[in-house]
Structures are given as structure tokens and as C-alpha cells.
Amino acid sequence: MARILIATEKPFAAIAVKGIREVVEQDAGDELLLLEKYTDKNQLLDAVKDVDALIIRSDKIDAEVLAAAKQLKIVVRAGAGYDNVDLEAATTHGICVMNTPGQNSNAVAELAFGLMVMAVRNFYNGTSGSELKGKKLGIHAFGNVGRNVARIAKGFGMKIFAYDAFCPKQAIAEAGVTPVDSAEQLYETCDVISLHIPVTAETKNSIGADLVGRMPKGGLLVNTARKEVIHEAELIQLMEARPDLKYVTDIMPVAHEEFATKFPGRYFSTPKKMGAQTAEANINAGIAAAKQIEAYFKNGVETFRVNK
Ligand code: 3PG
């Protein structure tokens, strides 16, 4: 009987945990353990000691955690981005790492519009704002979330553009979106930019003055991706020089206090990342993670493996 631990500093909805328990205990006859809302890394180090599998969200699974997990065979990040897992250390320990792509992407896309509407309506401060209809939306990276953003943007009547360094222009066009040749062109063209790039060595600090400074007057930058992709110092400098620009984010910047103090009415951050925090996304991603673990144990299925 395998022992599977859900370790979530930001817990799933209870209904999702119930669904995961059904897959693990009723369907597969394994044991499910739960560590939620932990406040100290030692709690995680202790909880992983004798488990075979781990289901996580943005929880940091570094070399120390992996070394402490002597029985661990698989980690599934219930979600898309796996920048929180030390893949090299996992490979060294012979641990398989997977994600569950697409399972929470609608939730994140919907939140991007929640942030967008709030920003163009001046944060509901009673003054006259503007509408999304007819505005040019630039989707920066056309993966699962970007595609959902495009689908929703059509309902708002926006003009939709996208740039993705890895997605062929034809695939973007087939989704009814206008592909552009470069990130520079996307930012020059669009009134609103919605970020959907992962954190990699190349994308870290890549969204700064050069790109955002190209946006037309009144530009709005929406970040439901990762804080690390933003060059915070450059963005602060740029927003000081360009009082027309707004920044709304679902991932609190390191310099949150500075943004909040310097740019009242032009900046907002959720206190905790809320994009994937819906019952539906929790159920989809959590149950997918549990099923992937059981399929890996039973049949060695490695479809969504992200390390070597
Ligand atoms: C993801 O990468 O799947 C999203 O950023 C959601 O992250 P979360 O599970 O920590 O909310």
C-alpha cells in the first residue's frame, strides 16, 4: 500500500480533497495523508519522511525536502508551473516529477479578466473608467491559459493578439487570434498585456522597461503568471516616468509596499495567488494528480513527466 501525501500550504477546497481521497483510497487501495496550511518548513520535512508520493501546488520542493523524503518516488505538481520543484535534485534521487497541464487554466484566465475589469474601472473608486470592448489585448504566451484568455476576450469584443516564442503563428491564427512577430511588437500594439509565460532562465526579469515602455498611452499590464518574470525595479522606474501605466498582479511583488505606496489607483496585488483557487480547478488538478500517481505506480505511465 502506497502512502500519498497532499502537502499544500494553500489548501485545495475540501471537495477536491474528498475526490482525491476516493481515487487514492477507494479506487486504488492506497493511503492518503494531508498536510495543509503548514507554516514551517520543518513540518514539511517531517511529513515527507516516509511517503511514496507527493501532491503539491506552489509548495517549494527543494533539494533538502527531496533528500528528507527517503521513500519518495513521484511528485505531482497539481497545476501548470513547476518552477517550485528542484528538478535536478529529483532526478538525482530517481524521483519522477509531473505537472497537470490545462487542469486549472480556465480559473487563471477568468481571474485575469477579473483583474482587467477592476483596473479599467479605476478599482471601483466611483470615477468614470473605460471598457474592454474594442481594446487591443496582447496575450504573451499562448499555452493553456493564454488560449482560455483568448476565448473569454472574444466575448468581451476585444481585438486579440498573441506572441509565443514556441507556438507556431499558424496555431495562434487557427484559434482566431492575430499572431505578431515579436514580444516587442505585441507590447507596441496592445492596450492590455496579459502575461502567461513560465519562469525560466530566459524569462526571469524579462518584463521590464524595454517591453512595457513600448505600450501605448494608458497601457495595462496584467500578471497571472509569476512575479519572477517582472523586472520590478525597472517597472517601478517606468511607472514613475509614465503616470498613465497600470500594473495588476495575482503574484505579490517583492517590492509590493513600494508599488502600493508609489502608485495608488494604478496598482493592485492579490494578497495570495488566487488564479487557480477555485473548487473546479482544485478538483480538476487534484484528481488529475492522484490519477497520474496511481497510473505511474500501476503501469509506469509517465505522460506528464517534466524531469529526465
Ligand atoms: C499554476 O502554475 O498552476 C498556477 O500558478 C496555480 O498555482 P497554485 O496551485 O499555487 O495556485
Side-chain angles (χ1 to χ4, degrees), residues 10 57-58 77-81 104 226 273 276:
K10 182 176 65 186
R57 297 184 64 179
S58 289
R77 192 283 190 241
N104 60 15
R226 289 290 182 272
K273 186 153 60 110

Side-chain angles (χ1 to χ4, degrees), residues 53-305:
L54 199 48
I55 297 174
I56 54 155
R57 297 184 64 179
S58 289
D59 305 82
K60 202 160 175 48
I61 306 300
D62 60 15
E64 191 187 3
V65 175
L66 293 165
K70 299 272 183 254
Q71 306 298 320
L72 192 62
K73 288 138 195 103
I74 177 168
V75 177
V76 181
R77 192 283 190 241
Y82 45 87
D83 46 289
N84 50 320
V85 182
D86 187 331
L87 297 187
E88 237 170 79
T91 301
T92 304
H93 290 285
I95 297 167
C96 172
V97 182
M98 296 183 187
N99 66 350
T100 65
Q103 300 290 349
N104 60 15
S105 49
N106 178 66
V108 178
E110 286 190 12
L111 189 85
F113 282 90
L115 292 171
M116 241 179 261
V117 171
M118 182 173 68
V120 297
R121 295 304 184 97
N122 298 336
F123 304 90
Y124 312 126
N125 70 357
T127 64
S128 186
S130 61
E131 300 179 19
L132 294 178
K133 187 178 176 189
K135 297 286 181 315
K136 292 178 180 157
L137 171 67
I139 302 174
H140 193 167
F142 207 64
N144 289 310
V145 182
R147 284 171 178 275
N148 275 287
V149 166
R151 173 180 53 77
I152 298 167
K154 287 175 193 167
F156 274 95
M158 300 184 85
K159 294 173 184 147
I160 315 164
F161 301 80
Y163 173 73
D164 189 314
F166 302 99
C167 178
K169 284 170 88 174
Q170 198 191 328
I172 293 174
E174 277 166 9
V177 171
T178 306
V180 296
D181 291 325
S182 63
E184 286 76 10
Q185 198 186 342
L186 191 74
Y187 286 69
E188 274 157 21
T189 306
C190 295
D191 307 299
V192 182
I193 293 285
S194 193
L195 286 173
H196 304 292
I197 51 176
V199 191
T200 63
E202 291 74 37
T203 64
K204 231 175 221 176
N205 294 319
S206 67
I207 310 300
D210 178 43
L211 284 177
V212 186
R214 291 170 189 264
M215 292 186 75
K217 195 169 184 317
L220 167 64
L221 179 65
V222 182
N223 184 5
T224 54
R226 289 290 182 272
K227 68 169 182 242
E228 291 85 352
V229 301
I230 301 288
H231 195 303
E232 293 185 10
E234 282 189 17
L235 185 58
I236 287 170
Q237 255 193 348
L238 178 69
M239 287 177 70
E240 280 173 331
R242 291 261 317 256
D244 59 300
L245 294 176
K246 287 180 183 165
Y247 178 47
V248 287
T249 178
D250 186 33
I251 314 92
M252 190 173 277
V254 176
H256 166 70
E257 290 304 330
E258 196 177 347
F259 273 102
T261 311
K262 287 189 167 159
F263 311 118
R266 298 166 55 203
Y267 163 81
F268 172 80
S269 172
T270 52
K272 212 174 182 87
K273 186 153 60 110
M274 292 297 294
Q277 199 58 322
T278 66
E280 294 90 337
N282 294 168
I283 291 167
N284 293 344
I287 290 179
K291 286 186 174 166
Q292 286 172 216
I293 287 169
E294 295 302 350
Y296 181 70
F297 283 152
K298 282 201 183 66
N299 303 313
V301 179
E302 294 193 348
T303 310
F304 296 113
R305 185 171 188 147

